[in-house]
Amino acid sequence: MITSNHLGGMEMRKIRTEELIPIIKELCKKACYELENELVDKLKESFEEEESELGKEVLDELIENAEYAKENQVASCQDTGITVVHMEIGQEVVWEGMYLYDAVNEGVRQGYEEGYLRKSVVGDPLIRENTGDNTPAVIRTDIVEGDKVKIVVMPKGAGSENMSRLKMLTPADGSEGVKSFVLETIRLAGGKACPPLIVGVGIGGTMDYAAWLSKRALQRPLGEANKAEHLKKLELELLEEINKTGIGPLGLGGTVTALDVNIEAFPCHIASLPVAVNLQCNSSRHAVVTI
Amino acid sequence: MKVKLPLTREVVEELNIGDVLELTGYLYTARDAAHKRMVETIERGGKPPIELDNQTIFYAAPCPAPPDKPIGSIGPTTSVRMDPYVETLLKEGLIAMIGKGDRSYYIPPLMKKYKAVYLLGLGGAAAIMARKVKEAREIAYVDLGAESIKELYVENLKVIVGIDTKGRILQEEGIAKYRKI
Ligand code: SF4
């Protein structure tokens, strides 16, 4: 039994779980009100690139919307999502107080109530009664080195989430197989996922892990490429091809269908090649803090 | 192009895909659950809680209204989920729908047959769409919360004609124009 705060001579960092409540609350509001500057800049860049007049008009509205929402501290999109909370917890952290997940959910509850955010979660997926406070959040915790805790709050709208897909390819399909599955997903989504999109692709691991990789890929800062050369190349090729589909802003036809493609990969079984595509809409929201 | 609500069949027949409209007047919000209930009521021989003749339905469920505003952020939801209910409501006189995304293959012929239009709202631009809503009133199915039917008064709400009364589809023609692979 562990009774002290010293494990193997290592000083542990104590954090009270209650401290998370106001932090999560603020992150929920911030994520929904303020699209990141990088995203707004990218929308402005794509306004210059877009060839369709109607596409330009849409992009212009989206830029104005992001600026107005931030200035007035209102939700940039009405679908304030199901709340995905990802925590990377340093292994030198010891939690005290209420159950960690209860604290996270309390933060979400308060954030959605105080922030006038839409409650879009049903309790049982088949009975479908709204829980009334947007909880429970989809919480994922990873243990990492160190004594810090990184918290990412990512409200995920259904429009783009519903058009996301996963497929177990065979190893022989290779990167061409990945490409055609991603492109097929983008075509099927059309305007429903509110393009311009950010495309998260998870390759490898297991079925569930590939899906998680594709969601984590959406957390990567815009414009940052995968460190592996072959994946970086694949990201660029995919972005180019996606923008040749002609889907354009909101699916009305145009040359800007995606703003970025992020691939995350992980080792997998000799006989497997799982691929997941998680689509993110123009209202790509996340707020991050490290404590 | 500035357009007054309620729409008339004469006005609607003049509209073409890709036209950018600014709507002013009253319209209703209704989405999945409200559609299901309205259609069930009509199929049982009852009357829906709103008069649909020449009316416009906005597929939307807004955020709660902050204290100083008539409504929270509001924008279109994916229309295809409402497709099975469309013809029943068209028969009641519905003239326009505002939503986002493609619709089923059987929707354009219905737009032609009933002289109605499918309008596209700006998905993602919900904060500035809310700015165009001057009044909001919950009028039916209040138990559905965000999904209740609301009557909105909008001023210059920007929408784009997605399917016109000729049955033409903006997305199809727009994408074909820019498609390179
Ligand atoms: S897909 Fe994204 S931008 Fe579109 S309505 Fe949903 S949350 Fe908003």
Side-chain angles (χ1 to χ4, degrees):
Chain A
M1 196 171 75
I2 299 160
T3 51
S4 87
N5 294 327
H6 301 268
L7 287 181
M10 188 166 54
E11 187 71 27
M12 303 296 284
R13 178 183 174 208
K14 284 194 220 169
I15 307 179
R16 288 205 64 82
T17 49
E18 288 83 357
E19 285 175 34
L20 292 178
I21 299 173
I23 295 174
I24 301 273
K25 176 177 92 176
E26 288 311 315
L27 289 175
C28 288
K29 293 201 269 182
K30 185 168 190 278
C32 290
Y33 297 165
E34 303 179 11
L35 298 186
E36 289 174 320
N37 292 336
E38 292 76 13
L39 175 61
V40 181
D41 289 346
K42 195 83 194 169
L43 287 169
K44 288 179 179 164
E45 243 173 68
S46 62
F47 175 85
E48 299 301 326
E49 287 162 18
E50 179 54 62
E51 288 170 24
S52 145
E53 276 311 310
L54 204 49
K56 267 188 185 299
E57 182 154 357
V58 166
L59 290 169
D60 192 44
E61 296 279 336
L62 293 177
I63 294 162
E64 191 192 335
N65 185 69
E67 287 169 348
Y68 176 84
K70 185 173 179 179
E71 218 176 277
N72 292 275
Q73 294 287 291
V74 293
S76 61
C77 183
Q78 82 289 342
D79 184 354
T80 49
I82 183 164
T83 321
V84 176
V85 179
H86 178 213
M87 297 173 74
E88 287 179 356
I89 303 170
Q91 61 181 0
E92 289 154 40
V93 169
V94 177
W95 296 102
E96 290 187 334
M98 68 199 288
Y99 176 46
L100 178 66
Y101 282 30
D102 288 344
V104 169
N105 280 321
E106 184 54 31
V108 169
R109 184 175 295 122
Q110 291 185 12
Y112 276 68
E113 194 50 46
E114 281 181 30
Y116 299 97
L117 305 177
R118 201 181 78 186
K119 287 74 177 177
S120 314
V121 174
V122 293
D124 181 286
L126 296 176
I127 299 170
R128 307 201 71 81
E129 274 169 12
N130 198 305
T131 60
D133 58 10
N134 224 56
T135 70
V138 173
I139 304 171
R140 179 171 169 116
T141 51
D142 281 318
I143 302 297
V144 297
E145 283 179 17
D147 66 353
K148 300 267 186 289
V149 179
K150 182 180 172 195
I151 307 168
V152 182
V153 170
M154 191 179 171
K156 191 68 175 68
S160 51
E161 193 71 4
N162 284 350
M163 304 317 291
S164 301
R165 290 162 84 225
L166 182 138
K167 191 173 181 183
M168 305 302 282
L169 302 181
T170 58
D173 293 330
S175 51
E176 280 311 308
V178 171
K179 260 196 198 170
S180 61
F181 181 65
V182 174
L183 284 168
E184 185 184 67
T185 303
I186 303 288
R187 283 216 182 88
L188 287 171
K192 295 187 194 87
C194 291
L197 306 167
I198 297 166
V199 183
V201 184
I203 309 175
T206 47
M207 183 195 80
D208 55 320
Y209 202 74
W212 160 243
L213 287 174
S214 71
K215 184 151 265 97
R216 203 181 67 187
L218 296 176
Q219 293 174 13
R220 196 196 294 164
L222 262 187
E224 203 177 290
N226 193 298
K227 300 225 168 18
E229 263 322 302
H230 69 294
L231 295 177
K232 179 178 168 181
K233 188 165 156 270
L234 189 55
E235 287 176 347
L236 288 172
E237 286 171 8
L238 270 170
L239 182 61
E240 207 182 304
E241 297 203 7
I242 290 168
N243 286 333
K244 283 185 188 159
T245 57
I247 293 167
L250 296 186
L252 308 180
T255 53
V256 179
T257 303
L259 302 173
D260 208 356
V261 178
N262 296 339
I263 299 176
E264 291 288 327
F266 192 81
C268 63
H269 191 281
I270 45 173
S272 297
L273 180 53
V275 185
V277 184
N278 197 192
L279 299 182
Q280 180 65 292
C281 51
N282 68 64
S283 198
S284 165
R285 291 156 288 183
H286 45 251
V288 189
V289 77
T290 300
I291 56 169
Chain B
M1 187 192 317
K2 298 215 184 275
V3 174
K4 286 244 172 309
L5 297 176
L7 288 158
T8 62
R9 302 290 156 181
E10 293 71 53
V11 170
V12 156
E13 280 187 281
E14 294 293 307
L15 301 177
N16 290 301
I17 53 168
D19 286 350
V20 179
L21 314 180
E22 290 188 1
L23 307 177
T24 298
Y26 287 97
L27 52 76
Y28 297 109
T29 67
R31 51 177 283 167
D32 309 57
H35 272 77
K36 187 161 182 274
R37 269 198 213 175
M38 276 196 287
V39 168
E40 279 169 5
T41 305
I42 294 165
E43 280 169 356
R44 279 200 309 267
K47 278 197 92 45
I50 49 175
E51 178 57 59
L52 288 168
D53 202 29
N54 289 333
Q55 295 303 318
T56 298
I57 288 183
F58 188 1
Y59 299 147
C63 285
D68 53 334
K69 296 190 170 66
I71 201 163
S73 297
I74 183 167
T77 192
T78 301
S79 307
V80 73
R81 295 193 312 271
M82 264 53 78
D83 287 357
Y85 307 116
V86 166
E87 189 163 15
T88 309
L89 301 186
L90 289 171
K91 280 185 189 154
E92 296 287 316
L94 180 72
I95 198 165
M97 292 144 275
I98 306 172
K100 68 164 165 133
D102 306 337
R103 308 210 67 158
S104 306
Y105 68 93
Y106 57 84
I107 296 292
L110 291 177
M111 298 294 104
K112 208 167 157 178
K113 179 172 170 194
Y114 292 94
K115 299 200 189 328
V117 278
Y118 171 44
L119 307 170
L120 295 160
L122 301 168
I128 53 173
M129 290 189 93
R131 202 169 50 175
K132 307 292 171 64
V133 179
K134 302 299 167 188
E135 294 166 30
R137 201 159 62 88
E138 246 180 341
I139 56 167
Y141 305 157
V142 176
D143 60 299
L144 295 178
E147 288 199 54
S148 66
I149 297 185
K150 296 172 191 69
E151 183 188 58
L152 309 185
Y153 184 80
V154 298
E155 245 171 53
N156 299 320
L157 181 75
K158 201 180 265 192
V159 295
I160 304 162
V161 179
I163 305 177
D164 58 25
T165 52
K166 292 122 224 155
R168 286 174 70 194
I169 306 166
L170 172 64
Q171 289 102 317
E172 214 171 81
E173 295 183 24
I175 293 171
K177 195 165 155 196
Y178 294 97
R179 183 170 178 168
K180 296 190 194 90
I181 53 169

